PDB file of all heavy atoms in Angstrom:
ATOM      1  N   THR A   4     -79.048-147.226 105.736  1.00 86.00           N
ATOM      2  CA  THR A   4     -78.796-145.766 105.614  1.00 86.00           C
ATOM      3  C   THR A   4     -77.580-145.521 104.703  1.00 86.00           C
ATOM      4  O   THR A   4     -77.713-144.595 103.844  1.00 86.00           O
ATOM      5  CB  THR A   4     -78.478-145.189 107.005  1.00 86.00           C
ATOM      6  OG1 THR A   4     -79.629-145.383 107.797  1.00 86.00           O
ATOM      7  CG2 THR A   4     -78.253-143.723 106.838  1.00 86.00           C
ATOM      8  N   ASP A  23     -75.588-129.950  83.347  1.00 95.00           N
ATOM      9  CA  ASP A  23     -74.575-129.433  82.477  1.00 95.00           C
ATOM     10  C   ASP A  23     -74.877-129.629  80.968  1.00 95.00           C
ATOM     11  O   ASP A  23     -74.612-128.814  80.162  1.00 95.00           O
ATOM     12  CB  ASP A  23     -73.211-130.267  82.720  1.00 95.00           C
ATOM     13  CG  ASP A  23     -72.614-129.815  84.095  1.00 95.00           C
ATOM     14  OD1 ASP A  23     -72.975-128.742  84.639  1.00 95.00           O
ATOM     15  OD2 ASP A  23     -71.716-130.572  84.589  1.00 95.00           O
ATOM     16  N   SER A  49     -88.135-110.790  47.988  1.00 82.00           N
ATOM     17  CA  SER A  49     -86.814-110.418  47.659  1.00 82.00           C
ATOM     18  C   SER A  49     -85.687-111.487  48.072  1.00 82.00           C
ATOM     19  O   SER A  49     -84.563-111.328  47.805  1.00 82.00           O
ATOM     20  CB  SER A  49     -86.432-109.018  48.261  1.00 82.00           C
ATOM     21  OG  SER A  49     -86.474-109.020  49.755  1.00 82.00           O
ATOM     22  N   CYS A  66     -70.463-122.692  62.573  1.00 98.00           N
ATOM     23  CA  CYS A  66     -69.131-122.850  63.355  1.00 98.00           C
ATOM     24  C   CYS A  66     -69.428-122.783  64.776  1.00 98.00           C
ATOM     25  O   CYS A  66     -68.813-123.438  65.562  1.00 98.00           O
ATOM     26  CB  CYS A  66     -68.248-121.646  62.922  1.00 98.00           C
ATOM     27  SG  CYS A  66     -67.697-121.719  61.237  1.00 98.00           S
ATOM     28  N   HIS A  90     -81.927-135.556  75.629  1.00 95.00           N
ATOM     29  CA  HIS A  90     -81.631-134.065  75.931  1.00 95.00           C
ATOM     30  C   HIS A  90     -81.408-133.335  74.630  1.00 95.00           C
ATOM     31  O   HIS A  90     -81.724-132.149  74.552  1.00 95.00           O
ATOM     32  CB  HIS A  90     -80.464-133.961  76.976  1.00 95.00           C
ATOM     33  CG  HIS A  90     -80.820-134.405  78.301  1.00 95.00           C
ATOM     34  ND1 HIS A  90     -81.723-133.769  79.140  1.00 95.00           N
ATOM     35  CD2 HIS A  90     -80.323-135.476  79.013  1.00 95.00           C
ATOM     36  CE1 HIS A  90     -81.840-134.302  80.290  1.00 95.00           C
ATOM     37  NE2 HIS A  90     -81.089-135.399  80.281  1.00 95.00           N
ATOM     38  N   LEU A  95     -80.899-131.735  67.689  1.00 97.00           N
ATOM     39  CA  LEU A  95     -80.036-132.385  66.648  1.00 97.00           C
ATOM     40  C   LEU A  95     -80.766-132.566  65.406  1.00 97.00           C
ATOM     41  O   LEU A  95     -80.329-132.402  64.338  1.00 97.00           O
ATOM     42  CB  LEU A  95     -79.433-133.707  67.170  1.00 97.00           C
ATOM     43  CG  LEU A  95     -78.137-134.110  66.514  1.00 97.00           C
ATOM     44  CD1 LEU A  95     -77.030-133.173  66.610  1.00 97.00           C
ATOM     45  CD2 LEU A  95     -77.728-135.530  67.063  1.00 97.00           C
ATOM     46  N   ARG A  97     -83.318-130.703  64.544  1.00 98.00           N
ATOM     47  CA  ARG A  97     -83.599-129.288  63.821  1.00 98.00           C
ATOM     48  C   ARG A  97     -82.224-128.893  63.163  1.00 98.00           C
ATOM     49  O   ARG A  97     -82.274-128.315  62.129  1.00 98.00           O
ATOM     50  CB  ARG A  97     -83.739-128.284  65.084  1.00 98.00           C
ATOM     51  CG  ARG A  97     -85.017-128.480  65.741  1.00 98.00           C
ATOM     52  CD  ARG A  97     -86.277-128.342  64.984  1.00 98.00           C
ATOM     53  NE  ARG A  97     -86.451-126.935  64.578  1.00 98.00           N
ATOM     54  CZ  ARG A  97     -87.514-126.533  63.718  1.00 98.00           C
ATOM     55  NH1 ARG A  97     -88.346-127.353  63.386  1.00 98.00           N
ATOM     56  NH2 ARG A  97     -87.565-125.196  63.513  1.00 98.00           N
ATOM     57  N   ALA A  99     -80.062-130.912  61.767  1.00 98.00           N
ATOM     58  CA  ALA A  99     -80.025-131.799  60.607  1.00 98.00           C
ATOM     59  C   ALA A  99     -80.958-131.066  59.576  1.00 98.00           C
ATOM     60  O   ALA A  99     -80.591-131.090  58.359  1.00 98.00           O
ATOM     61  CB  ALA A  99     -80.513-133.174  60.894  1.00 98.00           C
ATOM     62  N   LEU A 108     -80.708-125.352  49.238  1.00 97.00           N
ATOM     63  CA  LEU A 108     -80.806-123.985  48.609  1.00 97.00           C
ATOM     64  C   LEU A 108     -79.555-123.644  47.845  1.00 97.00           C
ATOM     65  O   LEU A 108     -79.639-122.956  46.812  1.00 97.00           O
ATOM     66  CB  LEU A 108     -80.836-122.938  49.876  1.00 97.00           C
ATOM     67  CG  LEU A 108     -82.223-122.829  50.578  1.00 97.00           C
ATOM     68  CD1 LEU A 108     -82.097-121.906  51.748  1.00 97.00           C
ATOM     69  CD2 LEU A 108     -83.339-122.412  49.597  1.00 97.00           C
ATOM     70  N   SER A 110     -77.654-126.133  46.235  1.00 96.00           N
ATOM     71  CA  SER A 110     -77.455-127.109  45.086  1.00 96.00           C
ATOM     72  C   SER A 110     -78.708-127.748  44.645  1.00 96.00           C
ATOM     73  O   SER A 110     -78.619-128.533  43.637  1.00 96.00           O
ATOM     74  CB  SER A 110     -76.411-128.178  45.578  1.00 96.00           C
ATOM     75  OG  SER A 110     -76.864-128.942  46.641  1.00 96.00           O
ATOM     76  N   ALA A 112     -79.945-130.353  46.005  1.00 97.00           N
ATOM     77  CA  ALA A 112     -79.651-131.737  46.101  1.00 97.00           C
ATOM     78  C   ALA A 112     -79.932-132.193  47.560  1.00 97.00           C
ATOM     79  O   ALA A 112     -80.084-131.313  48.447  1.00 97.00           O
ATOM     80  CB  ALA A 112     -78.225-132.036  45.794  1.00 97.00           C
ATOM     81  N   VAL A 114     -79.022-133.605  51.006  1.00 98.00           N
ATOM     82  CA  VAL A 114     -77.788-133.725  51.819  1.00 98.00           C
ATOM     83  C   VAL A 114     -77.730-135.174  52.313  1.00 98.00           C
ATOM     84  O   VAL A 114     -78.682-135.863  52.549  1.00 98.00           O
ATOM     85  CB  VAL A 114     -77.885-132.751  53.081  1.00 98.00           C
ATOM     86  CG1 VAL A 114     -78.909-133.304  54.052  1.00 98.00           C
ATOM     87  CG2 VAL A 114     -76.589-132.577  53.745  1.00 98.00           C
ATOM     88  N   THR A 115     -76.444-135.714  52.374  1.00 98.00           N
ATOM     89  CA  THR A 115     -76.297-136.980  52.954  1.00 98.00           C
ATOM     90  C   THR A 115     -76.045-136.937  54.417  1.00 98.00           C
ATOM     91  O   THR A 115     -75.793-135.948  54.977  1.00 98.00           O
ATOM     92  CB  THR A 115     -75.031-137.664  52.253  1.00 98.00           C
ATOM     93  OG1 THR A 115     -73.858-136.945  52.708  1.00 98.00           O
ATOM     94  CG2 THR A 115     -75.101-137.713  50.730  1.00 98.00           C
ATOM     95  N   TYR A 140     -81.260-137.978  61.498  1.00 97.00           N
ATOM     96  CA  TYR A 140     -81.044-137.494  60.104  1.00 97.00           C
ATOM     97  C   TYR A 140     -82.295-137.546  59.373  1.00 97.00           C
ATOM     98  O   TYR A 140     -82.643-136.606  58.700  1.00 97.00           O
ATOM     99  CB  TYR A 140     -79.962-138.338  59.445  1.00 97.00           C
ATOM    100  CG  TYR A 140     -79.892-138.282  57.990  1.00 97.00           C
ATOM    101  CD1 TYR A 140     -79.498-137.093  57.351  1.00 97.00           C
ATOM    102  CD2 TYR A 140     -80.423-139.277  57.087  1.00 97.00           C
ATOM    103  CE1 TYR A 140     -79.390-136.932  55.958  1.00 97.00           C
ATOM    104  CE2 TYR A 140     -80.360-139.216  55.799  1.00 97.00           C
ATOM    105  CZ  TYR A 140     -79.920-138.026  55.183  1.00 97.00           C
ATOM    106  OH  TYR A 140     -79.909-137.921  53.781  1.00 97.00           O
ATOM    107  N   ALA A 142     -85.404-137.595  60.434  1.00 96.00           N
ATOM    108  CA  ALA A 142     -86.360-136.608  60.904  1.00 96.00           C
ATOM    109  C   ALA A 142     -86.049-135.195  60.381  1.00 96.00           C
ATOM    110  O   ALA A 142     -86.874-134.458  59.992  1.00 96.00           O
ATOM    111  CB  ALA A 142     -86.280-136.613  62.371  1.00 96.00           C
ATOM    112  N   GLY A 143     -84.717-134.969  60.350  1.00 97.00           N
ATOM    113  CA  GLY A 143     -84.380-133.609  59.714  1.00 97.00           C
ATOM    114  C   GLY A 143     -84.678-133.375  58.242  1.00 97.00           C
ATOM    115  O   GLY A 143     -85.179-132.337  57.910  1.00 97.00           O
ATOM    116  N   ASN A 157     -94.385-119.764  48.269  1.00 93.00           N
ATOM    117  CA  ASN A 157     -93.817-118.410  48.284  1.00 93.00           C
ATOM    118  C   ASN A 157     -93.047-118.120  47.013  1.00 93.00           C
ATOM    119  O   ASN A 157     -92.837-116.993  46.649  1.00 93.00           O
ATOM    120  CB  ASN A 157     -92.880-118.272  49.447  1.00 93.00           C
ATOM    121  CG  ASN A 157     -93.639-118.262  50.776  1.00 93.00           C
ATOM    122  OD1 ASN A 157     -94.835-117.809  50.809  1.00 93.00           O
ATOM    123  ND2 ASN A 157     -93.208-118.652  51.834  1.00 93.00           N
ATOM    124  N   ASN A 165     -90.814-121.561  37.937  1.00 92.00           N
ATOM    125  CA  ASN A 165     -90.172-122.835  37.764  1.00 92.00           C
ATOM    126  C   ASN A 165     -89.614-123.581  38.939  1.00 92.00           C
ATOM    127  O   ASN A 165     -89.536-124.737  39.006  1.00 92.00           O
ATOM    128  CB  ASN A 165     -88.917-122.674  36.748  1.00 92.00           C
ATOM    129  CG  ASN A 165     -89.333-122.276  35.353  1.00 92.00           C
ATOM    130  OD1 ASN A 165     -90.446-122.745  34.906  1.00 92.00           O
ATOM    131  ND2 ASN A 165     -88.543-121.573  34.683  1.00 92.00           N
ATOM    132  N   TYR A 200     -98.721-135.030  52.829  1.00 92.00           N
ATOM    133  CA  TYR A 200     -99.460-133.660  52.627  1.00 92.00           C
ATOM    134  C   TYR A 200     -98.583-132.683  51.990  1.00 92.00           C
ATOM    135  O   TYR A 200     -99.062-131.835  51.246  1.00 92.00           O
ATOM    136  CB  TYR A 200     -99.917-133.254  54.064  1.00 92.00           C
ATOM    137  CG  TYR A 200    -100.871-134.117  54.685  1.00 92.00           C
ATOM    138  CD1 TYR A 200    -100.527-135.049  55.731  1.00 92.00           C
ATOM    139  CD2 TYR A 200    -102.282-134.123  54.369  1.00 92.00           C
ATOM    140  CE1 TYR A 200    -101.420-135.872  56.399  1.00 92.00           C
ATOM    141  CE2 TYR A 200    -103.164-134.941  54.968  1.00 92.00           C
ATOM    142  CZ  TYR A 200    -102.781-135.914  55.974  1.00 92.00           C
ATOM    143  OH  TYR A 200    -103.700-136.637  56.602  1.00 92.00           O
ATOM    144  N   LYS A 204     -99.568-130.773  48.584  1.00 93.00           N
ATOM    145  CA  LYS A 204     -99.616-129.235  48.656  1.00 93.00           C
ATOM    146  C   LYS A 204     -98.753-128.778  47.469  1.00 93.00           C
ATOM    147  O   LYS A 204     -99.237-127.836  46.803  1.00 93.00           O
ATOM    148  CB  LYS A 204     -99.061-128.760  50.016  1.00 93.00           C
ATOM    149  CG  LYS A 204     -99.079-127.200  50.094  1.00 93.00           C
ATOM    150  CD  LYS A 204     -98.535-126.786  51.436  1.00 93.00           C
ATOM    151  CE  LYS A 204     -98.526-125.316  51.601  1.00 93.00           C
ATOM    152  NZ  LYS A 204     -97.991-124.868  52.935  1.00 93.00           N
ATOM    153  N   GLU A 222     -85.123-127.399  31.482  1.00 48.00           N
ATOM    154  CA  GLU A 222     -84.323-128.168  30.587  1.00 48.00           C
ATOM    155  C   GLU A 222     -83.082-128.794  31.214  1.00 48.00           C
ATOM    156  O   GLU A 222     -82.285-128.095  31.783  1.00 48.00           O
ATOM    157  CB  GLU A 222     -83.883-127.356  29.300  1.00 48.00           C
ATOM    158  CG  GLU A 222     -85.024-126.793  28.505  1.00 48.00           C
ATOM    159  CD  GLU A 222     -84.629-125.964  27.319  1.00 48.00           C
ATOM    160  OE1 GLU A 222     -83.363-125.959  27.116  1.00 48.00           O
ATOM    161  OE2 GLU A 222     -85.445-125.476  26.638  1.00 48.00           O
TER     162      GLU A 222
END
Side-chain angles (χ1 to χ4, degrees):
T4 300
D23 288 342
S49 61
C66 292
H90 289 292
L95 204 58
R97 298 293 293 179
L108 290 173
S110 62
V114 72
T115 65
Y140 161 73
N157 291 327
N165 287 331
Y200 296 102
K204 182 178 179 179
E222 298 180 5

